[in-house]
Amino acid sequence: MLGNFTFCNPTRLYFGEGAIDNLKGELDKYGKTVMLVYGGGSIKKNGIYDKVVAVLKDCGKTIVEDGGVMPNPTSQKLEEGARIARENNVDLILAVGGGSVCDYSKAVSVSAYCGDDPWEKYYIRFEEPTCKIIPVGCVLTMVGTGSEMNGGAVITNHEQKLKIGHVFGSEVFPKFSVLDPAYTYTLPKYQMIAGFYDIMSHILEQYFSGEDDNTSDYISEGLLRSLIHSSRIAVKNPRDYEARSNIMWTATWALNTLVAQGKTTDWEVHMLGQAVGAYTDATHGMTLAAVSMAYYRYILPYGLKKFARYAVNVWGVNAEGKTDEQVANEGLAAMESWMKDLGLVMNLKELGVTSEMIEGIADATLIMQGGYKVLTREEVVNILKASM
Ligand code: NZQ
Ligand code: ZN
């Protein structure tokens, strides 16, 4: 049965080639001072920075720059950003980049006036914001996280060896996001495919939970089929607009809260991946890829019917004359070969994990309740070892 829910997604999306033309209309809705947030410089090389600054100037904005947001943004950087936003009394935070830049901007938006240590408040005590929240807008340059249309903000604390996501409510969602698929053409292949797997994982985290018959799971199967199809094209020809635009749209729907409505969800792969990220600072999508097969093979017997359905409806496995177990395993084998064909990282060693780190990573892995098997700490250790 589909459970009860309230669904509201307040983010306005501008999608397609030339979508940046809509930025001026959005900027005009906000006050004079805009904090321009970006990463390590890719937007300066590919010309997106110049385009955005030209629009900001055209709107007569005062620009406060906050560049250098690193992949997996840190709690230290968050404190710096919150201070910059507060001291300059900014009216809007404009995030130009990937998930890291968008997440960071949302975290800054709730931290500038929180009057507390944001890491402790939002990531350790998991409190909700009660202070003034600065509006955020995004110009997306990397596809995968869904951060452009959700309230997620993942922050890493290297001293505490923790990488934690806070999923904020709709008041923290970006007010608008500009999604031009052509802006993602300059992504290095490694980042592009990591993003593809991040999308896959987001859908699977919500799909592999519960046994109810619900529309959300059928939507997920459609999104997965589209992703698999388009990713095969994009990996051969990264400038295939049709494939890249379909993937960009799939990424947004994979994690804008739609496919989680009315059902339980898992998220254990993300908890494993984030713990790996806290120890290695590895690329998010690759941390998920490296642990996924070991995790799914382990929990398969506990969610057999769903894994068999996944094999048939997503991977086109022919179930005739086969047991559910055979069908389910063929589905996972098909998934594994798709992952290898893309060129994803399939083990933790390649991400810099050493056997000495395993116990610490297990300690940093949150145990979720919604998957087909609630893991014990020992099972977490075994899955991590099997992922080496
Ligand atoms: O920093 P720059 O120089 O911009 O380079 C970035 C970065 O090195 C580069 N890049 C981005 N767009 C580019 C580009 N290079 C060339 N051309 C472009 N158009 O790509 C690298 C990775 O960028 P990043 O933003 O870190 O990647 P991603 O979008 O995957 O974001 C990862 C972060 O999002 C969090 C992850 O944990 C991680 O911290 N997540 C956020 C979620 C959410 N908000 O709901 C959910 C996800 O599960 C995820 O946890
Ligand atoms: Zn993710």
Side-chain angles (χ1 to χ4, degrees), residues 144-146 154 163 194-195 197-199 201-202 205 255 267 270 274 284-285 287-288:
T145 63
V154 183
K163 180 177 184 186
Y197 192 74
D198 196 18
I199 306 168
S201 181
H202 293 159
E205 299 272 30
L255 198 51
W267 293 105
H270 270 67
Q274 282 176 202
H284 171 66
T287 66
L288 307 174

